[in-house]
Each structure stands twice: as structure tokens, then as C-alpha cells.
Amino acid sequence: VKLANPLSIDQSLMRTMMLPGLLAAAAHNLAQRNTRLHIFELGKVFRPSGSELPEEPRRLGVLLMGDWEEEGWVKADVPTDYYLVKGVVERILAALGLTGSFERATEPFLHPGKSARLQLAGAEAGWLGEVHPLVLQAYDLPSGTLACELDLDLLLATVGRPNLFEDLMTYPGVEQDLALLSEA
């Protein structure tokens, strides 16, 4: 979707996926010597709809770079891999009370053999995996960088039940205003 009056030439198109923004943020962090990065973004992407206005589906994008846990006194470092990002997606689904299935992905921006598509209730709900080495090379990022993008609208529509709120306190909070005088 092309903008009629962009601020700059590199911002003349609206995004169709979250990955380029996440990769740019990772490259900026790596330039600041942050080698261990776990970030996410909730936002809209824009797709042509055939009418004057584009479709604006909501997405959840996640990027993992570097070790999951740093080596410490009593533990070894845990590197990121395909199974880690798959576990992150499974935990998101479990928190929503959903179960999905995974099948091999063929996206050109993902590493072949280390990526999958998420199917949820017979619909495609997103993708996950290791970012292709050529894409990482374009952003000067290390190999083994992982990402996923989930269709947030589909996830929330599939849940079908609202999360219930339970008040933790039975009594209202107390607020006091104190004024102190000093006799010095």
C-alpha cells in the first residue's frame, strides 16, 4: 500500500509484515553492543483490499537473538534455536487456552528446514522459525536469529471466551495526605 504523501522515500510504503521493523530494531541494538535481544511488537500491518482503504489486521511479532539465558555461576548458557521459538508460540497458545498444529513453511525469508506455519482451527495463524542467512546478512545480524509473527485477530477470535477479572483485594485502598511542620 503506497502512501500519497510520505515523509521520506524509504517510508513511502506501508508495512505488510512485522519482520523488517524487528530486524531493524535488532540491528540498532547490535550496533549498541546488545548481543542478547528478545523483543516483541503488537501492531497493524496493511494489505490491499481492492477498495480505497486497505485491510488492517493486527499482528504479534517476536524476535529472539543471542542466548536465551546467559551463562551464570550454576547454569550454562541456553542458546536460541527453532525449538525455543516454537516453545514461545506454544506458551502463547496455552495461555489463551488454544492448541495449534505446525507444518513446514516455505517463506523465502525463513531458513528452509528450520521454520513452520501455525494452523489454528483450520486457518493459517502465522509463521515461526530461523531467519534466512541472506536476510540476516542484509541487516548485519548474527546467524541463528529467530522470529515469529502471529495473527492476533485470529487468536483472539478463536479464544471465544473473555478472560475473567478477579479482584485481589476485598477492601479499597487507603490514601492519606500528611503535612509535617518543623519547629527549627
Side-chain angles (χ1 to χ4, degrees), residues 8-97:
S8 66
I9 192 71
D10 61 335
Q11 296 177 343
S12 63
L13 298 174
M14 299 181 85
R15 66 181 177 184
T16 57
M17 61 186 309
M18 310 282 278
L19 184 61
L22 292 170
L23 291 171
H28 176 74
N29 275 275
L30 190 61
Q32 307 302 318
R33 296 191 179 133
N34 296 320
T35 58
R36 191 171 153 251
L37 186 66
H38 311 127
I39 59 175
F40 75 95
E41 180 182 358
L42 293 169
K44 292 181 179 181
V45 297
F46 302 90
R47 312 242 169 164
S49 65
S51 66
E52 187 176 336
L53 296 176
E55 294 177 4
E56 299 180 24
R58 293 180 295 172
R59 297 285 190 258
L60 165 64
V62 177
L63 185 129
L64 308 172
M65 181 179 74
D67 292 335
W68 182 250
E69 292 181 11
E70 287 185 311
E71 185 173 356
W73 207 31
V74 293
K75 63 181 177 191
D77 50 341
V78 178
T80 54
D81 62 1
Y82 166 77
Y83 296 105
L84 182 72
V85 73
K86 184 175 181 253
V88 168
V89 171
E90 288 173 337
R91 288 193 70 180
I92 291 169
L93 293 175
L96 295 171

Side-chain angles (χ1 to χ4, degrees), residues 87-161:
V88 168
V89 171
E90 288 173 337
R91 288 193 70 180
I92 291 169
L93 293 175
L96 295 171
L98 302 172
T99 56
S101 62
F102 299 93
E103 60 184 40
R104 182 177 223 144
T106 58
E107 277 72 12
F109 53 86
L110 293 176
H111 192 293
K114 297 181 182 178
S115 59
R117 295 203 71 67
L118 173 64
Q119 297 291 322
L120 187 64
E124 190 174 300
W127 53 263
L128 61 125
E130 189 174 316
V131 181
H132 197 282
L134 293 176
V135 175
L136 294 175
Q137 185 179 7
Y139 285 90
D140 292 325
L141 292 174
S143 63
T145 299
L146 303 157
C148 73
E149 186 172 311
L150 303 177
D151 185 342
L152 196 57
D153 290 329
L154 179 62
L155 290 176
L156 296 176
T158 307
V159 170
R161 61 167 173 74

